[in-house]
Structure formats: structure tokens, C-alpha cells
């Protein structure tokens, strides 16, 4: 039940939580183009781009529960080439989605032993966008603070007062059931962790001899001091990626093994020359008119779930939050949404962007940009100092807007590239 911190924060808005849990459950656990273990590994790759240990550790455990190969947890070098080929689009979507082109799509879909199908790729793209955006929420709401998960231990989410979380989601039948299941899983987790420890130790013992023989053979063939590769005595390899020196299951300690080109990050989007990247204009390609139908056709029903989630966050009540800013709720929410999309180069021709500076004070804009573009840099000072006039539930609401606006932005670029490939 390690997702509990996220569900507690989203529990301030139970209707949204219900929609979120339905979507996540469908992505991870229901019928779909991708095998279950691959889904969780893709989530690990996505979360690692933002150094989100909370999500990485969660999906490492889920990956093993789904029967995933523990060797994959040693890093990208140990996974099938087909899955490793997803790394480039993961990197670009996480940081500069406007760079996605139909050539990236074509490279993954080309006929070869390791090619993706369109349905598989759409499933993978939705997973990547979901986990990138969820990492923003995790950092923005302080869910990464759990020291047991390697968090910074500084952001302290407020409690729900005298109201139990299960009561806070009253009337939320799907969320209630998921929370009941999660609580049951948490009771079983001690036994599961013991089982995982035994499994990892057994695999380590079984592979240690093979690795040593293989490396000794390499030494003989390539000469002393050359080509030894990973040596089993290296503590980064000799220990299971799920075990620390005390034998405790803690999750991967080095997230770098799950990504390539770690220095690749967000850069401010700027209007380009005509022969370079152009502004993405929503009237030319929108979620409602284009993205929804494409994703729903290639990955049945996910379009409806995503659309419900986008509409749900737009419909959340925010009268008090907007009143503090001196405007109507819909105006305030649209200002935040369009500001986030603007940072990714997405523009609405019917919107006056001068409103953004009028509606959002500078400190709030800095916070939104940090959580959206480089969430791993979010810190407690930003959370406390820049949000003094907001209630905690209002802070969560804004972070939900960030989550959904960012996810939709990534999906728009990826789905547009897929559409261009199909044409």
C-alpha cells in the first residue's frame, strides 16, 4: 500500500480520486497490449527520469509481483532491446515533448525483431505520460518525504483532520474498494517482502557462479585488465538491487541505471524560425477532436477514462481559491492550465496570455513551473513560502491541475506524431 500517500493527498477531492484510480488500475492491471511486467518496468523508466524514488520503488515491487525478471532491475543494459528502445521517447516526452517527431515513431514501429505495434506503443506512451505527470504530483504534494523510500523528509502533508481517509472518500465506491484492497495488501506486505528477499537471494546465489565463470572467461580472452565488464565483487552489482547491506528490501539505490543521458532536461520552449520547431496550435490538433479518438481506437476504452479524468479536474470546485485571486473559478483554472501548456509550446489562439501575469503572482508561477518542468527540484521552502494564502486542499487542487495539464501536453505531442506517421 505504498501509494497510500498519493491517495491520501488526492482524497481531498474524492471524485477526482475515483477517476484517477480507475484509470491507473486499467493501465496497470486490466487487459491491454502490453504484458504486466513490462507496464511496471516502463513506469520505473518514466519515474527515474525525475529521480522519483517513491514511484520507482513502488513499481519495482509491483514488477516482481507481476513475475518480472529480477535481472532487469540491474538496469537498461539487462532488458530486452525492444523495451530499451523506448528510452529515447521516454527521455524526450519527460523533458522536451515538442521534439517528438514521426521519425521517432517510425523507428519504434519499423519491421524488425524488436518492433512495436501501434497498440503497444500507444499503451506505452500513455504509461509514460501518466508516470511523468504523477511524479510532478508526488513532489508537488510532498509524497516523496518518506525517508524509508529515500525521500528528502522535508515536506509534511497535512492530515485530513478528524476525518478518516476512508470516510473522506465516502460515496466513492471504486476508490473505496481499491483502498480496501490496498490495505489488505499492506497486511500481506511483510510476508511478500520476506518472500522477495528469499527470491532475490536465491537468484543471486544461482547467478553468482555463472557470472564469475563468464567474467573469468572474458579475462582470458581479452587479456588481463581489459573487458572485465561488471564484476560480481563490485558492490553495485554483487548486491541485489532490492537489498541493502542489512538485507532489507529498499528498492534500487541508483536510479541512473534506469536511464540514459541523465543530463538531458527541460529547456525553455521558445518560438522558433520557420524551418525549426513550431508552436503547437490546439486548433490544429486537440485532445477533443483528434487525440481522444486515436488513443481510444488503438487502446480500447482508455480514451474515455482519460477524458473523464481531464473533465473531472476541470470541474473541481475552486471558488475560494479563485476568490483569493480576485477572479472567477473557471478563469483562474484556465490561466493555470494554459500557462502549463505554454511552457511546453502549446498555444490557444482564443486566449489572451496577458491574463496569466494578472492571475498568477510570480512566486506561484515559479512553483508551478518547477513542479511541472523539473519536479525533483521542488523543496519545502517553495511549498511553504509560495503558498501561504492557500489551504492545503487548494494546494492539492493546483497540483492536480499540473498533473493533468502536463499529461495532456505530452499526449498531444506523442499522438500527433503517431497521426503523422499513420498518414
Amino acid at each position: 500500500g505504498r501509494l497510500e500517500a498519493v491517495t491520501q493527498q488526492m482524497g481531498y477531492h474524492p471524485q477526482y480520486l475515483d477517476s484517477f484510480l480507475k484509470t491507473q488500475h486499467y493501465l496497470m492491471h486490466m487487459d491491454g497490449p502490453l504484458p504486466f511486467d513490462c507496464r511496471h518496468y516502463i513506469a520505473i523508466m518514466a519515474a527515474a527520469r525525475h529521480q522519483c524514488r517513491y514511484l520507482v520503488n513502488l513499481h519495482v515491487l509491483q514488477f516482481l509481483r507481476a513475475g518480472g525478471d529480477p535481472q532487469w532491475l540491474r538496469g537498461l543494459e539487462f532488458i530486452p532491446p525492444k523495451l530499451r528502445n523506448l528510452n529515447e521517447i521516454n527521455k524526450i516526452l519527460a523533458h522536451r515533448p515538442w521534439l517528438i517527431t514521426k521519425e521517432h515513431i517510425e523507428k519504434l514501429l519499423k519491421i524488425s525483431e524488436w518492433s512495436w505495434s501501434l497498440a503497444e506503443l500507444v499503451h506505452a506512451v500513455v504509461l509514460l505520460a501518466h508516470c511523468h505527470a504523477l511524479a510532478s504530483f508526488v513532489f508537488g504534494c510532498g509524497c516523496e518525504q518518506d525517508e524509508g523510500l529515500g525521500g528528502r523528509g522535508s515536506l509534511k502533508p497535512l492530515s485530513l483532520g478528524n476525518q478518516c481517509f476512508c470516510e473522506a472518500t465516502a460515496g466513492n465506491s471504486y476508490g473505496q474498494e481499491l483502498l480496501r484492497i490496498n490495505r489488505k495488501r499492506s497486511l500481506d506486505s511483510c510476508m511478500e517482502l520476506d518472500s522477495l528477499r528469499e527470491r532475490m537471494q536465491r537468484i543471486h546465489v544461482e547467478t553468482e557462479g555463472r557470472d564469475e565463470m563468464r567474467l573469468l572467461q572474458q579475462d582470458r580472452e581479452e587479456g588481463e585488465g581489459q573487458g572485465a565488464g561488471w564484476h560480481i565483487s563490485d558492490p553495485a552489482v554483487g548486491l541485489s538491487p532490492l537489498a541493502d547491506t542489512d538485507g532489507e528490501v529498499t528498492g534500487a539505490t541508483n536510479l541512473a541505471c534506469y536511464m540514459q543521458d541523465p543530463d538531458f532536461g527541460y529547456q525553455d520552449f521558445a518560438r522558433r524560425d520557420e524551418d525549426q520547431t513550431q508552436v503547437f496550435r490546439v486548433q490544429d490538433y486537440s485532445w477533443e477532436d483528434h487525440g481522444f479518438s486515436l488513443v481510444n481506437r488503438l487502446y480500447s476504452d482508455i480514451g474515455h477514462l482519460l477524458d473523464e479524468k481531464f473533465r473531472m479536474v476541470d470541474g473541481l470546485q475552486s471558488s475560494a481559491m479563485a476568490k483569493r485571486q480576485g477572479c472567477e473559478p473557471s478563469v483562474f483554472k484556465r490561466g493555470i492550465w494554459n500557462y502549463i501548456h505554454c511552457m511546453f509550446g502549446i498555444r490557444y489562439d482564443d486566449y489572451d496570455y496577458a491574463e496569466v501575469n494578472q492571475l498568477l503572482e510570480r512566486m506561484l508561477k515559479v512553483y508551478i513551473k518547477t513542479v511541472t518542468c523539473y519536479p525533483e527540484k521542488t523543496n519545502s521552502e517553495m511549498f511553504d513560502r509560495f503558498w501561504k494564502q492557500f489551504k492545503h486542499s487548494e494546494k492539492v487542487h493546483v497540483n492536480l491541475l499540473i498533473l493533468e495539464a502536463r499529461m495532456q501536453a505530452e499526449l498531444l505531442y506523442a499522438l500527433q506524431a503517431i497521426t503523422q506517421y499513420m498518414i
Side-chain angles (χ1 to χ4, degrees):
R2 283 187 171 178
L3 196 60
E4 191 72 1
V6 169
T7 55
Q8 281 184 5
Q9 295 300 318
M10 291 183 181
Y12 283 97
H13 305 280
Q15 289 181 313
Y16 174 85
L17 172 63
D18 181 54
S19 182
F20 173 86
L21 290 176
K22 282 193 292 186
T23 304
Q24 175 151 288
H25 183 71
Y26 189 84
L27 276 172
M28 294 296 181
H29 304 294
M30 299 296 287
D31 289 343
L34 294 175
F36 295 112
D37 58 342
C38 288
R39 301 182 197 190
H40 290 291
Y41 200 88
I42 290 170
I44 291 169
M45 292 171 63
R49 286 305 317 181
H50 286 304
Q51 304 167 38
C52 186
R53 293 183 182 277
Y54 178 96
L55 291 178
V56 168
N57 290 338
L58 171 75
H59 287 288
V60 161
L61 290 176
Q62 293 293 327
F63 170 78
L64 290 172
R65 288 171 183 165
D69 183 351
Q71 293 299 315
W72 291 15
L73 300 178
R74 297 173 69 179
L76 298 183
E77 295 179 4
F78 298 89
I79 65 176
K82 178 177 178 177
L83 201 54
R84 188 163 59 247
N85 291 342
L86 199 65
N87 178 70
E88 183 71 10
I89 199 172
N90 174 36
K91 176 183 75 173
I92 295 174
L93 270 181
H95 305 294
R96 305 176 207 171
W98 58 88
L99 297 181
I100 290 283
T101 66
K102 67 178 181 179
E103 284 73 28
H104 291 107
I105 304 302
E106 184 178 14
K107 185 177 180 180
L108 290 169
L109 297 175
K110 67 182 180 181
I111 299 174
S112 72
E113 183 182 357
W114 307 110
S115 64
W116 291 71
S117 70
L118 269 173
E120 289 174 333
L121 184 56
V122 166
H123 193 170
V125 162
V126 175
L127 277 171
L128 291 172
H130 174 81
C131 293
H132 294 155
L134 187 54
S136 284
F137 183 85
V138 166
F139 281 104
C141 287
C143 302
E144 182 83 349
Q145 95 290 339
D146 187 342
E147 292 181 2
L149 296 179
R152 57 180 169 267
S154 57
L155 298 188
K156 302 296 182 184
L158 303 182
S159 68
L160 293 172
N162 296 325
Q163 189 179 36
C164 175
F165 181 54
C166 58
E167 295 172 349
T169 56
N172 182 353
S173 59
Y174 193 91
Q176 281 279 72
E177 180 63 15
L178 260 291
L179 291 174
R180 185 190 65 77
I181 292 171
N182 279 340
R183 287 192 175 91
K184 182 180 183 302
R185 285 176 177 171
S186 68
L187 293 175
D188 297 334
S189 63
C190 290
M191 290 184 290
E192 285 203 32
L193 292 179
D194 287 339
S195 175
L196 288 175
R197 289 191 195 102
E198 293 174 4
R199 181 181 174 191
M200 294 300 296
Q201 186 172 2
R202 185 173 64 253
I203 291 170
H204 172 59
V205 170
E206 291 173 353
T207 58
E208 185 174 12
R210 292 200 303 269
D211 285 350
E212 287 186 342
M213 291 298 295
R214 176 178 57 82
L215 292 170
L216 286 172
Q217 181 64 27
Q218 285 182 352
D219 284 342
R220 294 191 189 99
E221 293 177 354
E222 301 177 22
E224 184 177 356
Q226 295 183 4
W230 291 103
H231 197 282
I232 202 66
S233 63
D234 185 339
V237 178
L239 290 176
S240 155
L242 287 179
D244 61 18
T245 53
D246 296 321
E248 291 297 319
V249 176
T250 60
T253 57
N254 180 17
L255 302 189
C257 71
Y258 296 124
M259 59 179 172
Q260 297 171 353
D261 195 6
D263 295 329
F264 186 91
Y266 175 82
Q267 289 184 351
D268 286 340
F269 181 92
R271 193 182 298 271
R272 313 288 178 166
D273 296 333
E274 292 186 2
D275 60 338
Q276 294 181 313
T277 305
Q278 296 294 309
V279 168
F280 187 111
R281 299 199 178 279
V282 174
Q283 72 269 22
D284 297 330
Y285 196 96
S286 67
W287 166 257
E288 294 80 5
D289 297 331
H290 306 91
F292 168 81
S293 58
L294 175 64
V295 75
N296 219 44
R297 176 157 56 90
L298 294 171
Y299 181 16
S300 178
D301 292 332
I302 192 62
H304 292 293
L305 291 168
L306 293 173
D307 194 61
E308 175 188 309
K309 198 154 59 79
F310 293 145
R311 294 177 186 275
M312 189 64 66
V313 78
D314 185 57
L316 291 178
Q317 296 300 314
S318 59
S319 55
M321 187 166 62
K323 186 177 181 179
R324 284 185 172 85
Q325 303 304 113
C327 65
E328 292 296 318
S330 60
V331 174
F332 184 58
K333 285 187 291 187
R334 189 182 185 195
I336 293 175
W337 187 278
N338 288 1
Y339 175 57
I340 293 166
H341 275 196
C342 183
M343 288 186 285
F344 289 114
I346 299 174
R347 306 280 288 193
Y348 296 78
D349 283 353
D350 62 347
Y351 186 73
D352 180 6
Y353 285 86
E355 285 190 10
V356 171
N357 291 330
Q358 297 169 5
L359 294 171
L360 309 180
E361 61 184 37
R362 180 179 176 275
M363 293 301 187
L364 180 56
K365 287 171 65 178
V366 169
Y367 182 86
I368 291 173
K369 182 172 183 177
T370 303
V371 174
T372 301
C373 303
Y374 18 78
E376 63 277 6
K377 295 183 180 180
T378 309
N379 58 52
S380 58
E381 182 183 357
M382 296 173 66
F383 189 83
D384 296 332
R385 178 184 174 192
F386 299 168
W387 293 71
K388 289 182 179 179
Q389 74 275 34
F390 289 92
K391 296 179 182 178
H392 190 79
S393 62
E394 294 169 340
K395 299 177 186 181
V396 173
H397 186 175
V398 174
N399 275 285
L400 291 177
L401 285 168
I402 292 172
L403 186 162
E404 296 300 339
R406 176 179 179 178
M407 181 173 185
Q408 189 180 101
E410 291 189 26
L411 285 177
L412 283 174
Y413 278 110
L415 294 175
Q416 184 193 50
I418 291 174
T419 300
Q420 291 173 342
Y421 168 81
M422 293 172 67
I423 294 175

